[in-house]
Amino acid sequence: EVRLVESGGELVHPGGSLRLSCAASGFTFSNYHMKWGRQAPGKGLEWVSRISRSGGLTDYTDSVKGRFTISRDDPKNTLYLQLNDLKIEDTAMYYCAQGWSPDSWSTRGQGTQVTVSS
């Protein structure tokens, strides 16, 4: 059974930083592209970033470029998202998921809440 467990979200001030983690199990993690998405209250799920199987390719939505960094540790079966210079509009539930497509979110975890507030 595929299992993805996100952690690391919390309340931070604008300009602050967080590192989100996604622990994967139930599949061969190194064989999969992985991604992060987020959902703000009252809005749809938005793709944020993705990383290739090898880790050699990364991609970001425009609003987080230069502030967020996606990475993976295959021996630990863990995906990360470093969030820097956080803004109020980054407030959302953050999810990790398998796959490269920004439109497919069927296999995602339960999410971790990031709240940016002064």
Side-chain angles (χ1 to χ4, degrees):
E1 177 190 0
V2 172
R3 188 162 187 241
L4 299 166
V5 180
E6 300 92 339
S7 61
E10 61 181 74
L11 172 64
V12 295
H13 294 307
S17 296
L18 286 174
R19 188 174 81 155
L20 307 184
S21 299
C22 169
S25 61
F27 64 102
T28 305
F29 181 71
S30 59
N31 286 352
Y32 283 79
H33 306 311
M34 297 293 295
K35 62 197 172 197
W36 287 95
R38 65 187 180 185
Q39 187 166 23
K43 296 189 176 180
L45 203 153
E46 172 193 26
W47 167 75
V48 173
S49 181
R50 57 189 175 182
I51 187 167
S52 63
R53 280 188 293 263
S54 67
L57 284 175
T58 59
D59 194 16
Y60 301 89
T61 193
D62 285 346
S63 63
V64 308
K65 282 180 181 175
R67 300 189 297 119
F68 291 8
T69 304
I70 191 171
S71 62
R72 63 190 299 158
D73 186 335
D74 287 351
K76 293 185 178 179
N77 290 337
T78 303
L79 178 72
Y80 300 102
L81 187 68
Q82 178 69 39
L83 289 65
N84 295 331
D85 189 24
L86 281 160
K87 305 178 186 299
I88 291 175
E89 53 264 38
D90 294 319
T91 295
M93 186 73 78
Y94 283 70
Y95 299 94
C96 65
Q98 295 175 318
W100 190 251
S101 169
D103 299 320
S104 174
W105 296 95
S106 59
T107 53
R108 68 175 189 261
Q110 84 292 341
T112 187
Q113 178 68 41
V114 173
T115 302
V116 185
S117 175
S118 55

